[in-house]
Amino acid sequence: MTKFDDDFALLVNASKSAPAAPKDFGGGALERQSISEQVANRIMAMIKSGNLKSGDRLPTEAQMGIAFAISRPPLREALKALVLMGVLESRQGGRYTVTDLSPSRLIAPFNVMLSVADYDVDEHFEARAVVDLELVRLCAERATPEVRNRILRLARDGRAFHHDPVAFRLMDIEFHQSINKGARNGLLSALAQGLYDVALDVRREASTVPGVIEKSVEQHCAVADAIMAGNSAAAVEAYRIHLEHVRDTTKQSMGHK
């Protein structure tokens, strides 16, 4: 019997003996209010405590129904919610498994939400400023020499693409992802990538406006030079100026004044 089976056996025993339902993950019948949410919270608590880890397979629905003292409909609702959150995945045979819990997987629902929400330019770039500027600061402080050199090379190579919007956009993605990598914070990087992907169609149009790419490239170089020097304050300020430029050209492409 695995450690996980032991944990659920304890839940089953507790559910049979406990007269009242505790609100933690200690077992017992759940309160009737928001049953599926309570089940999801209990499974999340097991993951946070280390009782459940990446790759662990959950018991069958029947076994979990006994452990939680609930019927299958609210249990299935909780499991589906955790799948949508990127915490669980359904494998062949109907058993659920804890995912790798990687930041990119866990942030996926957030990315979907951003893609379907009404687009607000100012709100978007306000959020990017919060996340991206912190990543730039961390990159200037933490990046390895190899990553710093790659950022500088990508920034300077952009000068060859003043009249090639497609090539510039490809380089732009690599430039920003290299900064994210240099920051060495997976969760912030995943957030930044999600925000970067918002309204790409509008920014694609903006990149075709004469002079936009040239200005972006020089701003990239200013950011890269500061990162190479390890000057986090200068890097943040240069990146702030770049973000304002991208925000303004995005607005112009959308016909905003």
Side-chain angles (χ1 to χ4, degrees):
M1 180 176 289
T2 66
K3 180 179 181 296
F4 180 56
D5 291 329
D6 290 338
D7 292 333
F8 263 83
L10 290 174
L11 284 177
V12 173
N13 292 333
S15 69
K16 291 178 179 178
S17 60
K23 294 184 179 180
D24 59 14
F25 202 81
L30 294 169
E31 296 176 2
R32 276 314 196 186
Q33 185 178 5
S34 304
I35 293 177
S36 60
E37 183 177 354
Q38 292 179 61
V39 171
N41 287 338
R42 285 193 179 181
I43 294 174
M44 286 294 294
M46 290 191 75
I47 293 172
K48 291 177 182 178
S49 68
N51 285 325
L52 276 175
K53 296 182 179 180
S54 296
D56 282 348
R57 190 170 66 162
L58 272 63
T60 64
E61 289 184 4
Q63 291 171 328
M64 286 190 283
I66 294 172
F68 292 124
I70 60 172
S71 61
R72 287 197 177 185
L75 173 61
R76 286 174 176 170
E77 185 178 339
L79 294 172
K80 287 180 180 178
L82 292 172
V83 169
L84 289 173
M85 292 168 60
V87 174
L88 300 179
E89 59 184 346
S90 180
R91 296 279 178 88
Q92 188 175 4
R95 299 284 288 272
Y96 288 85
T97 302
V98 181
T99 68
D100 56 11
L101 303 175
S102 63
S104 58
R105 183 189 293 271
L106 297 178
I107 208 66
F110 168 76
N111 292 346
V112 172
M113 179 273 290
L114 287 177
S115 67
V116 300
D118 291 336
Y119 183 58
D120 184 304
V121 181
D122 291 315
E123 186 176 82
H124 177 206
F125 282 89
E126 185 176 83
R128 281 196 65 178
V130 171
V131 177
D132 289 10
L133 294 180
E134 180 62 13
L135 282 167
V136 170
R137 182 186 70 80
L138 292 174
C139 180
E141 296 175 355
R142 298 176 175 178
T144 64
E146 179 184 3
V147 172
R148 292 176 197 269
N149 284 321
R150 174 169 173 75
I151 291 169
L152 183 62
R153 184 172 65 254
L154 286 167
R156 292 178 174 174
D157 285 350
R159 291 170 175 159
F161 306 135
H162 285 177
H163 304 292
D164 189 341
V166 174
F168 169 76
R169 289 195 297 268
L170 292 174
M171 183 281 303
D172 186 69
I173 293 172
E174 293 298 318
F175 175 76
H176 289 281
Q177 287 183 345
S178 294
I179 290 176
N180 296 345
K181 180 181 179 181
R184 292 191 282 179
N185 186 307
L187 187 54
L188 278 178
S189 294
L191 283 169
Q193 187 60 51
L195 289 167
Y196 180 92
D197 291 341
V198 173
L200 274 177
D201 55 334
V202 180
R203 298 212 306 283
R204 185 180 300 114
E205 182 179 344
S207 67
T208 63
V209 176
V212 167
I213 291 179
E214 289 92 326
K215 191 168 184 179
S216 289
V217 168
E218 292 313 307
Q219 290 170 347
H220 283 180
C221 289
V223 173
D225 287 341
I227 289 174
M228 278 295 293
N231 189 333
S232 59
V236 167
E237 183 57 28
Y239 198 95
R240 187 192 308 278
I241 292 170
H242 176 56
L243 270 184
E244 291 173 352
H245 164 66
V246 178
R247 179 200 63 200
D248 293 344
T249 54
T250 299
K251 282 185 173 183
Q252 291 169 9
S253 292
M254 295 177 67
H256 292 188
K257 293 183 179 181

